[in-house]
Amino acid sequence: PYFTTGLVAYSVGLAGTFVANSVTKAGQPALFYIVPSLLAASLGTAAVRGELDALLSFENTRSKAAIQAREEWKAARDKERQREAVE
Protein backbone atom coordinates (compact mmCIF):
# COMPACT_ATOMS: atom_id res chain seq x y z
CA PRO A 1 0.00 0.00 0.00
CA TYR A 2 2.78 2.48 0.79
CA PHE A 3 4.54 1.97 -2.53
CA THR A 4 1.36 2.42 -4.55
CA THR A 5 0.25 5.52 -2.67
CA GLY A 6 3.78 6.88 -2.81
CA LEU A 7 3.91 6.38 -6.56
CA VAL A 8 0.56 8.10 -7.02
CA ALA A 9 1.56 10.93 -4.67
CA TYR A 10 4.84 11.43 -6.52
CA SER A 11 2.93 11.63 -9.80
CA VAL A 12 0.49 14.14 -8.33
CA GLY A 13 3.34 16.25 -6.96
CA LEU A 14 5.15 16.17 -10.28
CA ALA A 15 1.94 17.10 -12.11
CA GLY A 16 1.52 19.97 -9.66
CA THR A 17 5.00 21.16 -10.55
CA PHE A 18 4.15 21.15 -14.26
CA VAL A 19 0.90 23.02 -13.60
CA ALA A 20 2.75 25.62 -11.53
CA ASN A 21 5.33 25.99 -14.31
CA SER A 22 2.58 26.55 -16.85
CA VAL A 23 0.62 28.99 -14.71
CA THR A 24 3.56 31.10 -13.54
CA LYS A 25 5.64 30.78 -16.71
CA ALA A 26 8.64 30.38 -14.42
CA GLY A 27 10.66 27.43 -13.17
CA GLN A 28 9.50 25.84 -9.97
CA PRO A 29 11.42 23.60 -7.57
CA ALA A 30 9.84 20.17 -8.04
CA LEU A 31 10.51 19.07 -4.46
CA PHE A 32 8.35 21.96 -3.26
CA TYR A 33 5.36 20.02 -4.62
CA ILE A 34 6.56 16.41 -4.45
CA VAL A 35 7.63 16.27 -0.80
CA PRO A 36 4.34 17.50 0.69
CA SER A 37 2.35 15.11 -1.49
CA LEU A 38 4.55 12.17 -0.43
CA LEU A 39 4.32 13.14 3.24
CA ALA A 40 0.55 13.51 3.06
CA ALA A 41 0.21 10.15 1.29
CA SER A 42 2.43 8.35 3.81
CA LEU A 43 0.65 9.87 6.80
CA GLY A 44 -2.76 9.22 5.26
CA THR A 45 -1.94 5.60 4.47
CA ALA A 46 -0.59 5.03 7.97
CA ALA A 47 -3.66 6.66 9.53
CA VAL A 48 -6.07 4.54 7.50
CA ARG A 49 -4.15 1.36 8.33
CA GLY A 50 -3.85 2.26 12.03
CA GLU A 51 -0.05 2.43 11.77
CA LEU A 52 0.44 6.13 12.46
CA ASP A 53 2.18 5.59 15.81
CA ALA A 54 4.54 3.05 14.25
CA LEU A 55 5.35 5.42 11.37
CA LEU A 56 6.05 8.39 13.62
CA SER A 57 8.14 6.41 16.12
CA PHE A 58 10.11 4.44 13.50
CA GLU A 59 13.68 3.59 14.43
CA ASN A 60 15.97 1.94 11.94
CA THR A 61 17.79 -1.19 13.18
CA ARG A 62 20.97 0.13 11.59
CA SER A 63 20.77 3.36 13.59
CA LYS A 64 20.07 1.37 16.77
CA ALA A 65 23.21 -0.70 16.13
CA ALA A 66 25.24 2.46 15.52
CA ILE A 67 24.01 4.01 18.77
CA GLN A 68 24.85 0.83 20.68
CA ALA A 69 28.32 0.66 19.11
CA ARG A 70 28.97 4.29 20.02
CA GLU A 71 27.91 3.67 23.63
CA GLU A 72 30.18 0.62 23.85
CA TRP A 73 33.06 2.63 22.41
CA LYS A 74 32.49 5.42 24.93
CA ALA A 75 32.45 2.92 27.80
CA ALA A 76 35.71 1.35 26.59
CA ARG A 77 37.27 4.80 26.18
CA ASP A 78 36.24 5.82 29.69
CA LYS A 79 37.70 2.61 31.16
CA GLU A 80 40.95 3.27 29.32
CA ARG A 81 41.08 6.83 30.63
CA GLN A 82 40.44 5.64 34.18
CA ARG A 83 43.18 3.04 33.85
CA GLU A 84 45.61 5.70 32.58
CA ALA A 85 44.69 8.03 35.44
CA VAL A 86 45.49 5.34 38.01
CA GLU A 87 48.92 4.68 36.49
Side-chain angles (χ1 to χ4, degrees):
Y2 287 97
F3 178 78
T4 305
T5 56
L7 190 61
V8 170
Y10 185 89
S11 301
V12 168
L14 193 58
T17 302
F18 287 126
V19 168
N21 283 340
S22 296
V23 170
T24 63
K25 304 287 190 241
Q28 299 289 318
L31 291 178
F32 187 73
Y33 300 94
I34 293 171
V35 170
S37 65
L38 285 171
L39 287 174
S42 297
L43 290 171
T45 302
V48 168
R49 293 173 52 109
E51 299 171 348
L52 196 55
D53 288 338
L55 178 67
L56 296 177
S57 65
F58 176 75
E59 285 192 30
N60 188 332
T61 55
R62 188 172 170 191
S63 65
K64 284 182 184 178
I67 291 169
Q68 182 181 1
R70 183 178 63 214
E71 293 302 321
E72 291 171 359
W73 173 81
K74 284 181 181 180
R77 181 194 63 190
D78 291 344
K79 279 185 178 180
E80 183 64 29
R81 285 182 178 171
Q82 288 175 353
R83 190 177 6 232
E84 290 174 356
V86 172
E87 294 173 357

